Amino acid sequence: MRLLIVSNRLPVSVSKQNGEFTMTKSAGGLVSGLSDYLASLGKGTSDVSEYIWMGWPGSNIEKEEEDYVRQKVQQEFRASPVFLSKKLMDKVYLGFCNRTIWPLFHYFPNYARFELEYWHEYKRMNEVFRDELLKEIREDDILWVHDYHLMLLPAMLREKVSNPIGFFLHIPFPSYEMFRMLHKESRTEILEGLLGADLVGFHTHDYAQHFLRCVLRILGMENHMGKIAMPDHTAEVSTFPMGIDFQKFHTMDVSPHPSEKPGRGKPKMVLSVDRLDYSKGIINRLKGFELFLKKHPEWHGKVCLNMVVVPSRTGVGSYRKIKSQLDELVGQVNGNFGNMTWTPVIYQYTSLPHKELIAQYRMSHVALLTPLRDGMNLVAKEYIASLTDHKGVLIISEFAGAAKEMSESVVINPNNIDEIADAIAEALTIPVRDQVRGNRIMQRRLKRYDVTKWASDFVSVLLKTSKVSRESASRKLLNAATRKELLDNYRRAGSRIILVNYDGTLVPYSKYPSSAEPTEGLRSLLSGLESDANTDIVIISGRGKDELEEWLGDLSLNLTAEHGSWIRDSGKKGWRLLKPLSSEWKEEVLPTLEMYTDRLPGSYIQERDYSVAWHYHKADIEHASQLVKEVNDHLLSIVTNISAHVLHGSKVIEVSNSGINKGELAMHWLSRKEYDFILAIGAGWSDELLFQTMPDHAWSVRVGLTQTAARFVVREQGDAIHLLESLRQGE
Ligand code: GDG
């Protein structure tokens, strides 16, 4: 099995100078972190034995050079490039990715821009990725898509291939109130895009919960223990806090760089490392340090803030602004507090070589990480892992995902400058024994759940969940062999009955119920089937009798309305009741439902002759789910002593006469005659009662790949029609 990793950028950067290509391995967190895991593939017991990485190689490559570059990166880096014009990439990266998603997902709506053009370019880039991937994907591949640049890709791939698909988001998933600020099309398609995956992973439980709530509120889809039933698979949402390569940080020989902590008489070092980004809280950190110096003159000359700031996204205006703000503030603090022998803020606007970074981690007494929002923050973990002497204090913002796993550190709210200042003072005075104790606990955790464990956990859950979901979907899927058996059975049978539901089965579900009238094609299909004297067709619908009469009344069909209250036998005029029914109970039920309709905006009542339905699919789904149990209990208390019952369907509660449902109705038909062939086809919750009452030898088919009592499922409504067509033609 091969693991196909997909990310926006390849772990290798291809550049061209004077006609010569150079390929440099990037040192990003994901790349270096995963390298150990990837190197282990094929050696252990994992089903995954090899990998390939797909992404953008980082520059414009001429059409005629593509083959050469592809071959080169494949051989040397196990990478497969997605060739995109730099123009499109820049547009998307600096547009929807970093001017819309990044600020919004990090709770900076004021920085977010909602331009439709950005969105369309983002979609286009995801499509290009899809097309390139389709050329690469092999049958035994498992796909792992990374991060916010490619959120549409899982669903785009799902339409085309049946490989297991995983997705991991490296940044926070915001709360519903933030996410809903995206315009309708993009917020819906992003959620649907992610749900195309078998497994959607987040760093923290909160992000996963935010996602599930958005799915509920925007798509109206509920989850069961983080699992969402999609038409053809189950999407599982889960938490995988990303780890680091602990051994590397803990054991790396960093010579010749000094890594000893400065001794007595030398200033203690407070370190911060991050990309230049407004989400990282760099300005607040400096202000906090400034306040600390104001409040604690005793520390003057004895402590330095060593700020490593890595240049990032220089093309985005808000990043340039923060850079000049930062330069100014550093000058101000150094000017106000520094002197000839002491520079309070050492400011390095650069990316350090890896060894030097670890050396700086080791020599720092304190790491001060104050993001206002951060998906995880790997620097926090790397700092603790690097401390070979176990001495040092981590100050971490409660808004970083990492804070959830690092409770032995000093956790602060970075919006409060006073809290930052006090935390620095506290950290500098924590007794060494307590530092060591806390760091050992955190190191044990980081060692146990390192990046290899993180990746292998994700991949094994992905394999498991996709296998279960494929099995349950395919177990019942009406495949060619079973379909043939069904048709043979039909052909051979002397007497047959087809019990078929209307909405969702014979016609697609319609937004407006009154516009679901049958096409001429459907009408001729039904009368064609019925014209065979050996076949009885029964339309089993929850609709009222007048509508059915209007649409199908001129055909010679058996019609049943209101889930079986009314029957119209084929060839006869007029409707009759299945049995004597009462509607007196409506007097009490209707006012009760009216009261709840007033309480739940968007809900409405549908009254029929012998049934009343309360629909809430248009209501606020969270409000509805709180109220539904109360409505159900209330109705049950009303009908206890009368001959009516309450059924809870999909976003509807229905009250009707006892003994009236599609199951009872089916029994009525089946008791009239011995049939050699019985077929029940349905699509909705009320058809489940029909399936449950079918005798063992009957065929039952539900539309949609979902949990069902039916023996078989077909993917979509068109497949049900297709099946009926085959019966008519005797194919
Ligand atoms: C995103 C999410 C999430 C930094 N400076 C230097 C350097 N680095 C390396 C660090 C670390 C990585 O870059 C930064 O990772 P972070 O997690 O701190 O932050 P983001 O880049 O914003 O990453 C974040 C992460 O994805 C993973 O899911 O944690 O929340 O925003 O590995 O070591 N490396 C070198 N020199 C530097 O100067 N060599």
Side-chain angles (χ1 to χ4, degrees):
M1 217 175 239
R2 184 175 71 157
L3 176 64
L4 206 164
I5 302 172
V6 193
S7 61
N8 174 57
R9 291 288 301 258
L10 269 186
V12 50
S13 235
V14 180
S15 55
K16 198 165 81 171
Q17 260 178 353
N18 308 326
E20 285 285 305
F21 284 106
T22 25
M23 304 189 188
T24 346
K25 196 166 180 184
S26 350
L30 179 65
V31 184
S32 54
L34 273 184
S35 57
D36 232 34
Y37 169 71
L38 298 176
S40 74
L41 296 178
K43 294 178 193 150
T45 49
S46 160
D47 292 340
V48 185
S49 53
E50 51 172 330
Y51 76 93
I52 186 160
W53 199 311
M54 284 193 82
W56 187 56
S59 64
N60 262 341
I61 288 154
E62 305 292 333
K63 225 47 269 75
E64 57 276 14
E65 298 163 338
E66 287 182 0
D67 282 346
Y68 172 77
V69 172
R70 179 175 288 115
Q71 208 186 6
K72 209 79 185 133
V73 293
Q74 199 137 10
Q75 270 167 5
E76 291 176 31
F77 300 94
R78 291 223 197 157
S80 170
V82 175
F83 296 111
L84 274 165
S85 75
K86 186 158 178 347
K87 205 164 140 215
L88 175 62
M89 204 55 174
D90 283 352
K91 268 187 174 171
V92 178
Y93 189 68
L94 300 175
F96 196 70
C97 288
N98 290 322
R99 283 200 174 99
T100 310
I101 292 294
W102 183 274
L104 203 61
F105 280 36
H106 286 87
Y107 296 78
F108 287 89
N110 294 350
Y111 287 161
R113 282 171 47 184
F114 302 94
E115 313 216 352
L116 264 179
E117 203 192 329
Y118 286 176
W119 164 243
H120 291 135
E121 284 156 355
Y122 180 78
K123 270 176 92 161
R124 201 144 59 84
M125 183 197 62
N126 275 257
E127 281 161 7
V128 176
F129 264 80
R130 175 201 58 198
D131 296 343
E132 286 302 310
L133 272 155
L134 291 176
K135 293 182 203 158
E136 179 65 49
I137 294 174
R138 301 194 313 220
E139 215 177 301
D140 71 335
D141 282 346
I142 55 172
L143 315 178
W144 189 3
V145 181
H146 287 267
D147 227 359
Y148 63 106
H149 319 85
L150 298 171
M151 291 190 284
L152 307 179
L153 198 51
M156 287 180 175
L157 290 170
R158 165 80 49 205
E159 277 180 19
K160 308 279 179 188
V161 295
S162 57
N163 302 60
I165 304 172
F167 181 92
F168 190 83
L169 187 71
H170 289 264
I171 64 173
F173 197 93
S175 68
Y176 166 65
E177 286 305 330
M178 203 49 66
F179 185 75
R180 71 191 292 209
M181 289 175 85
L182 287 170
H183 65 77
K184 258 192 187 142
E185 183 186 318
S186 58
R187 69 188 186 196
T188 308
E189 288 187 25
I190 287 173
L191 296 176
E192 288 171 348
L194 293 172
L195 289 177
D198 296 283
L199 179 62
V200 187
F202 297 95
H203 280 307
T204 73
H205 179 70
D206 282 350
Y207 307 157
Q209 290 306 311
H210 290 164
F211 174 69
L212 289 172
R213 180 154 191 252
C214 287
V215 169
L216 176 68
R217 304 235 31 167
I218 294 169
L219 302 183
M221 297 170 87
E222 292 178 83
N223 75 86
H224 181 64
M225 313 263 282
K227 294 193 173 78
I228 298 162
M230 299 299 291
D232 53 358
H233 70 289
T234 302
E236 182 169 339
V237 176
S238 198
T239 306
F240 300 87
M242 187 176 170
I244 54 162
D245 185 345
F246 179 85
Q247 284 306 341
K248 187 175 80 191
F249 285 92
H250 198 63
T251 58
M252 186 182 272
D253 173 8
V254 296
S255 58
H257 302 285
S259 61
E260 293 288 304
K261 292 194 168 60
R264 267 178 205 284
K266 301 241 176 71
K268 290 197 173 195
M269 301 305 283
V270 176
L271 175 72
S272 75
V273 179
D274 20 39
R275 278 187 307 100
L276 179 67
D277 198 297
Y278 48 78
S279 66
K280 301 284 182 182
I282 306 177
I283 299 294
N284 285 24
R285 181 183 313 156
L286 257 179
K287 286 186 178 162
F289 186 65
E290 185 183 34
L291 184 61
F292 159 76
L293 293 178
K294 267 191 203 148
K295 280 179 151 181
H296 296 277
E298 73 278 14
W299 279 103
H300 288 193
K302 295 180 188 153
V303 65
C304 289
L305 172 62
N306 176 15
M307 286 197 2
V308 180
V309 179
V310 182
S312 172
R313 298 173 199 167
T314 42
V316 181
S318 44
Y319 286 72
R320 286 197 298 267
K321 220 188 282 164
I322 196 170
K323 166 79 172 57
S324 53
Q325 224 182 331
L326 181 61
D327 293 348
E328 203 178 304
L329 201 55
V330 170
Q332 187 183 308
V333 177
N334 282 341
N336 288 345
F337 294 93
N339 55 39
M340 288 287 282
T341 54
W342 175 53
T343 307
V345 183
I346 305 163
Y347 172 34
Q348 310 182 64
Y349 182 60
T350 182
S351 174
L352 301 176
H354 206 64
K355 270 192 177 182
E356 199 177 333
L357 178 71
I358 299 181
Q360 299 211 7
Y361 283 150
R362 289 191 186 149
M363 66 195 292
S364 301
H365 295 85
V366 176
L368 177 60
L369 305 173
T370 56
L372 301 172
R373 288 285 162 179
D374 212 337
M376 174 52 76
N377 195 303
L378 296 178
V379 171
K381 295 186 168 183
E382 292 168 3
Y383 170 69
I384 294 295
S386 301
L387 300 173
T388 36
D389 61 359
H390 310 293
K391 292 177 202 155
V393 177
L394 168 68
I395 302 175
I396 179 80
S397 155
E398 66 180 76
F399 297 102
K404 302 259 181 298
E405 298 165 74
M406 309 188 86
S407 49
E408 291 77 12
S409 55
V410 179
V411 179
I412 50 138
N413 178 349
N415 295 297
N416 184 345
I417 306 296
D418 265 282
E419 217 175 305
I420 300 179
D422 295 348
I424 300 172
E426 181 189 335
L428 288 169
T429 51
I430 292 180
V432 168
R433 274 172 58 182
D434 292 320
Q435 295 179 22
V436 172
R437 193 185 45 81
N439 289 337
R440 279 191 194 278
I441 297 175
M442 289 193 276
Q443 284 187 350
R444 271 202 294 276
R445 203 175 298 137
L446 292 173
K447 191 173 171 185
R448 222 175 25 241
Y449 201 82
D450 66 357
V451 69
T452 304
K453 182 88 177 74
W454 170 77
S456 54
D457 253 18
F458 185 92
V459 170
S460 63
V461 175
L462 169 59
L463 282 172
K464 203 167 111 203
T465 189
S466 58
K467 189 163 172 244
V468 172
S469 125
R470 302 266 178 308
E471 275 173 4
S472 57
S474 64
R475 224 180 12 238
K476 286 200 165 185
L477 195 65
L478 188 71
N479 59 28
T482 332
R483 197 167 188 279
K484 186 173 173 306
E485 201 187 319
L486 186 154
L487 292 176
D488 285 348
N489 191 188
Y490 177 80
R491 242 177 271 132
R492 281 197 311 269
S495 60
R496 315 156 176 144
I497 184 166
I498 301 174
L499 303 146
V500 57
N501 157 249
Y502 189 75
D503 291 88
T505 309
L506 290 177
V507 295
Y509 281 121
S510 159
K511 190 170 173 195
Y512 303 102
S514 333
S515 60
E517 67 253 56
T519 59
E520 266 319 304
L522 173 62
R523 286 164 45 84
S524 86
L525 167 65
L526 293 172
S527 39
L529 284 164
E530 173 77 17
S531 67
D532 185 328
N534 294 333
T535 308
D536 289 333
I537 303 287
V538 187
I539 309 288
I540 296 193
S541 175
R543 283 182 180 260
K545 64 181 189 338
D546 296 342
E547 247 164 351
L548 291 183
E549 179 68 36
E550 186 189 332
W551 290 344
L552 301 166
D554 58 330
L555 302 180
S556 173
L557 296 168
N558 298 293
L559 300 177
T560 64
E562 286 193 38
H563 294 158
S565 301
W566 289 105
I567 294 185
R568 204 209 69 174
D569 294 297
S570 117
K572 292 198 184 144
K573 286 263 173 260
W575 291 76
R576 63 182 170 92
L577 287 174
L578 177 70
K579 57 184 184 183
L581 299 175
S582 135
S583 59
E584 275 166 24
W585 48 264
K586 279 195 198 171
E587 277 170 33
E588 208 175 335
V589 165
L590 275 172
T592 308
L593 284 178
E594 271 154 17
M595 176 197 60
Y596 285 113
T597 306
D598 291 340
R599 276 176 62 189
L600 183 68
S603 64
Y604 63 94
I605 297 169
Q606 190 178 48
E607 186 185 349
R608 299 249 156 83
D609 300 337
Y610 294 98
S611 62
V612 176
W614 183 66
H615 295 268
Y616 56 88
H617 59 101
K618 288 185 180 157
D620 181 301
I621 191 154
E622 283 181 316
H623 187 183
S625 47
Q626 280 158 16
L627 206 62
V628 157
K629 182 153 178 4
E630 191 182 327
V631 180
N632 208 42
D633 289 352
H634 197 156
L635 293 173
L636 280 174
S637 71
I638 296 175
V639 303
T640 324
N641 297 318
I642 52 176
S643 60
H645 67 175
V646 180
L647 282 178
H648 191 179
S650 167
K651 297 189 178 122
V652 60
I653 294 185
E654 208 166 284
V655 186
S656 56
N657 282 264
S658 307
I660 293 294
N661 60 57
K662 290 187 178 180
E664 295 282 340
L665 183 66
M667 292 328 292
H668 163 79
W669 287 98
L670 298 181
S671 62
R672 295 187 359 166
K673 197 166 153 188
E674 276 287 313
Y675 289 103
D676 305 333
F677 175 90
I678 305 168
L679 170 62
I681 320 184
W685 63 273
S686 60
D687 298 315
E688 289 300 316
L689 294 168
L690 171 67
F691 302 139
Q692 281 162 22
T693 46
M694 284 295 110
D696 289 348
H697 69 284
W699 295 88
S700 52
V701 179
R702 173 148 182 183
V703 175
L705 306 186
T706 181
Q707 294 282 4
T708 176
R711 283 175 60 202
F712 301 99
V713 294
V714 290
R715 279 182 200 281
E716 48 198 27
Q717 183 261 336
D719 296 330
I721 294 292
H722 197 60
L723 178 64
L724 293 173
E725 282 286 1
S726 310
L727 296 180
R728 179 176 64 163
Q729 288 164 12
E731 280 168 355

Short mmCIF file of all heavy atoms in Angstrom, two decimals, residues 29 102 170 203 242 273 275 280 308 310 351-352 354 357 361 374-379 382, ligand 1:
data_model
loop_
_atom_site.label_atom_id
_atom_site.label_comp_id
_atom_site.label_asym_id
_atom_site.label_seq_id
_atom_site.Cartn_x
_atom_site.Cartn_y
_atom_site.Cartn_z
N GLY A 29 7.88 22.31 9.55
CA GLY A 29 7.55 21.40 10.65
C GLY A 29 7.02 20.06 10.15
O GLY A 29 7.49 19.00 10.58
N TRP A 102 -7.06 32.33 6.55
CA TRP A 102 -6.14 32.47 7.69
C TRP A 102 -6.67 33.46 8.74
O TRP A 102 -6.81 33.08 9.92
CB TRP A 102 -4.73 32.84 7.21
CG TRP A 102 -3.76 32.92 8.33
CD1 TRP A 102 -3.51 34.01 9.12
CD2 TRP A 102 -2.92 31.87 8.85
NE1 TRP A 102 -2.58 33.71 10.09
CE2 TRP A 102 -2.20 32.41 9.95
CE3 TRP A 102 -2.72 30.54 8.50
CZ2 TRP A 102 -1.28 31.65 10.68
CZ3 TRP A 102 -1.80 29.79 9.23
CH2 TRP A 102 -1.10 30.33 10.31
N HIS A 170 -4.16 21.92 9.93
CA HIS A 170 -3.08 22.33 10.84
C HIS A 170 -3.40 23.61 11.60
O HIS A 170 -2.69 23.94 12.55
CB HIS A 170 -1.77 22.49 10.05
CG HIS A 170 -1.22 21.17 9.61
ND1 HIS A 170 -0.26 20.50 10.32
CD2 HIS A 170 -1.53 20.38 8.56
CE1 HIS A 170 0.01 19.36 9.71
NE2 HIS A 170 -0.75 19.26 8.63
N HIS A 203 -6.17 19.28 15.50
CA HIS A 203 -5.22 19.23 16.62
C HIS A 203 -5.92 19.05 17.97
O HIS A 203 -5.39 18.41 18.86
CB HIS A 203 -4.43 20.54 16.69
CG HIS A 203 -3.30 20.64 15.71
ND1 HIS A 203 -2.32 19.69 15.60
CD2 HIS A 203 -2.98 21.63 14.83
CE1 HIS A 203 -1.45 20.10 14.68
NE2 HIS A 203 -1.82 21.24 14.20
N MET A 242 -0.78 17.03 16.95
CA MET A 242 0.48 16.71 16.27
C MET A 242 1.66 16.78 17.23
O MET A 242 1.75 17.69 18.06
CB MET A 242 0.69 17.71 15.12
CG MET A 242 1.87 17.37 14.26
SD MET A 242 1.96 18.52 12.88
CE MET A 242 3.54 18.11 12.21
N VAL A 273 10.16 32.31 19.34
CA VAL A 273 10.44 31.95 17.94
C VAL A 273 9.10 31.85 17.22
O VAL A 273 8.23 31.10 17.65
CB VAL A 273 11.11 30.55 17.84
CG1 VAL A 273 11.37 30.17 16.38
CG2 VAL A 273 12.41 30.50 18.62
N ARG A 275 7.00 32.66 13.10
CA ARG A 275 6.89 33.37 11.83
C ARG A 275 6.30 34.73 12.13
O ARG A 275 5.51 34.86 13.07
CB ARG A 275 5.94 32.63 10.89
CG ARG A 275 6.54 31.47 10.13
CD ARG A 275 5.56 30.92 9.12
NE ARG A 275 4.26 30.59 9.71
CZ ARG A 275 3.19 31.36 9.63
NH1 ARG A 275 3.21 32.50 8.97
NH2 ARG A 275 2.06 30.99 10.19
N LYS A 280 0.41 35.46 15.98
CA LYS A 280 1.38 34.96 16.96
C LYS A 280 1.53 35.87 18.18
O LYS A 280 2.28 35.56 19.10
CB LYS A 280 2.76 34.76 16.29
CG LYS A 280 2.74 33.78 15.11
CD LYS A 280 2.65 32.31 15.55
CE LYS A 280 2.70 31.38 14.35
NZ LYS A 280 2.57 29.97 14.70
N VAL A 308 13.28 35.58 17.85
CA VAL A 308 13.59 35.12 16.50
C VAL A 308 12.29 35.24 15.70
O VAL A 308 11.28 34.61 16.03
CB VAL A 308 14.06 33.65 16.51
CG1 VAL A 308 14.37 33.18 15.09
CG2 VAL A 308 15.26 33.48 17.41
N VAL A 310 10.70 34.90 11.97
CA VAL A 310 10.99 34.39 10.63
C VAL A 310 10.13 35.14 9.61
O VAL A 310 8.89 35.18 9.76
CB VAL A 310 10.69 32.87 10.57
CG1 VAL A 310 11.02 32.31 9.20
CG2 VAL A 310 11.48 32.13 11.64
N SER A 351 15.60 33.33 9.52
CA SER A 351 15.35 31.93 9.85
C SER A 351 16.68 31.30 10.23
O SER A 351 17.65 31.41 9.49
CB SER A 351 14.76 31.25 8.62
OG SER A 351 14.65 29.88 8.86
N LEU A 352 16.74 30.69 11.39
CA LEU A 352 18.01 30.13 11.87
C LEU A 352 18.22 28.73 11.31
O LEU A 352 17.25 27.99 11.16
CB LEU A 352 18.00 30.03 13.40
CG LEU A 352 17.79 31.31 14.19
CD1 LEU A 352 17.72 30.98 15.67
CD2 LEU A 352 18.92 32.29 13.92
N HIS A 354 18.87 24.84 11.60
CA HIS A 354 18.23 23.98 12.59
C HIS A 354 19.04 23.77 13.87
O HIS A 354 18.51 23.89 14.98
CB HIS A 354 17.94 22.64 11.92
CG HIS A 354 16.79 21.94 12.55
ND1 HIS A 354 15.52 22.45 12.54
CD2 HIS A 354 16.75 20.82 13.27
CE1 HIS A 354 14.73 21.65 13.20
NE2 HIS A 354 15.46 20.64 13.66
N LEU A 357 18.98 26.75 16.02
CA LEU A 357 17.68 26.92 16.68
C LEU A 357 17.64 26.07 17.96
O LEU A 357 17.26 26.54 19.03
CB LEU A 357 16.56 26.52 15.72
CG LEU A 357 15.15 26.59 16.27
CD1 LEU A 357 14.70 28.03 16.47
CD2 LEU A 357 14.15 25.88 15.35
N TYR A 361 17.24 27.08 21.87
CA TYR A 361 16.23 26.52 22.80
C TYR A 361 16.92 26.13 24.11
O TYR A 361 16.47 26.43 25.19
CB TYR A 361 15.60 25.24 22.21
CG TYR A 361 14.55 25.43 21.12
CD1 TYR A 361 14.38 24.45 20.13
CD2 TYR A 361 13.70 26.53 21.09
CE1 TYR A 361 13.41 24.57 19.14
CE2 TYR A 361 12.73 26.66 20.10
CZ TYR A 361 12.59 25.68 19.12
OH TYR A 361 11.63 25.81 18.15
N ASP A 374 -3.39 29.85 17.71
CA ASP A 374 -2.41 29.00 17.03
C ASP A 374 -2.97 27.58 17.00
O ASP A 374 -3.41 27.07 18.04
CB ASP A 374 -1.10 29.02 17.82
CG ASP A 374 0.11 28.87 16.91
OD1 ASP A 374 -0.05 28.33 15.81
OD2 ASP A 374 1.21 29.28 17.32
N GLY A 375 -2.95 26.98 15.82
CA GLY A 375 -3.49 25.62 15.69
C GLY A 375 -2.88 24.71 16.74
O GLY A 375 -3.58 24.08 17.52
N MET A 376 -1.56 24.65 16.76
CA MET A 376 -0.88 23.83 17.75
C MET A 376 0.23 24.64 18.43
O MET A 376 0.22 24.90 19.60
CB MET A 376 -0.31 22.57 17.07
CG MET A 376 0.56 21.69 17.94
SD MET A 376 -0.18 21.23 19.49
CE MET A 376 -1.33 19.98 19.02
N ASN A 377 1.20 25.07 17.69
CA ASN A 377 2.46 25.69 18.09
C ASN A 377 3.48 24.63 18.46
O ASN A 377 3.61 24.20 19.61
CB ASN A 377 2.30 26.69 19.24
CG ASN A 377 3.54 27.56 19.37
OD1 ASN A 377 4.65 27.06 19.54
ND2 ASN A 377 3.38 28.86 19.23
N LEU A 378 4.21 24.23 17.44
CA LEU A 378 5.22 23.18 17.62
C LEU A 378 6.44 23.69 18.36
O LEU A 378 7.14 22.92 19.02
CB LEU A 378 5.63 22.62 16.26
CG LEU A 378 4.52 21.92 15.49
CD1 LEU A 378 5.02 21.46 14.12
CD2 LEU A 378 3.99 20.71 16.25
N VAL A 379 6.68 25.01 18.28
CA VAL A 379 7.86 25.57 18.94
C VAL A 379 7.80 25.26 20.45
O VAL A 379 8.82 24.92 21.06
CB VAL A 379 7.95 27.09 18.68
CG1 VAL A 379 9.03 27.74 19.53
CG2 VAL A 379 8.23 27.33 17.20
N GLU A 382 8.94 21.79 20.86
CA GLU A 382 10.36 21.65 20.53
C GLU A 382 11.24 22.21 21.65
O GLU A 382 12.28 21.63 21.98
CB GLU A 382 10.66 22.40 19.22
CG GLU A 382 9.99 21.75 18.01
CD GLU A 382 10.03 22.62 16.75
OE1 GLU A 382 10.62 23.72 16.79
OE2 GLU A 382 9.46 22.20 15.74
C1 GDG B 1 1.15 25.71 11.35
C2 GDG B 1 0.13 26.18 12.39
C3 GDG B 1 0.76 24.24 13.81
C4 GDG B 1 10.53 28.37 13.20
N1 GDG B 1 11.56 29.23 13.15
C5 GDG B 1 12.61 28.56 12.65
C6 GDG B 1 12.22 27.26 12.41
N2 GDG B 1 10.94 27.17 12.76
C7 GDG B 1 10.16 25.93 12.70
C8 GDG B 1 9.88 25.44 14.09
C9 GDG B 1 8.56 24.69 13.93
C10 GDG B 1 7.92 25.39 12.75
O1 GDG B 1 8.91 26.16 12.09
C11 GDG B 1 6.82 26.36 13.21
O2 GDG B 1 5.73 25.62 13.58
P1 GDG B 1 4.55 26.23 14.45
O3 GDG B 1 3.70 25.12 14.87
O4 GDG B 1 5.11 26.94 15.61
O5 GDG B 1 3.79 27.30 13.54
P2 GDG B 1 3.28 27.46 11.96
O6 GDG B 1 4.41 27.61 11.03
O7 GDG B 1 2.35 28.62 11.97
O8 GDG B 1 2.51 26.13 11.58
C12 GDG B 1 0.57 25.75 13.77
C13 GDG B 1 1.64 23.77 12.67
O9 GDG B 1 1.18 24.25 11.42
C14 GDG B 1 1.71 22.25 12.62
O10 GDG B 1 0.46 21.69 12.49
O11 GDG B 1 1.37 23.91 15.03
O12 GDG B 1 -0.37 26.14 14.73
O13 GDG B 1 -0.02 27.60 12.34
O14 GDG B 1 8.80 23.36 13.63
O15 GDG B 1 10.95 24.67 14.51
N3 GDG B 1 13.05 26.33 11.92
C15 GDG B 1 14.30 26.70 11.66
N4 GDG B 1 14.74 27.98 11.86
C16 GDG B 1 13.93 28.93 12.34
O16 GDG B 1 14.35 30.07 12.52
N5 GDG B 1 15.16 25.79 11.19
#
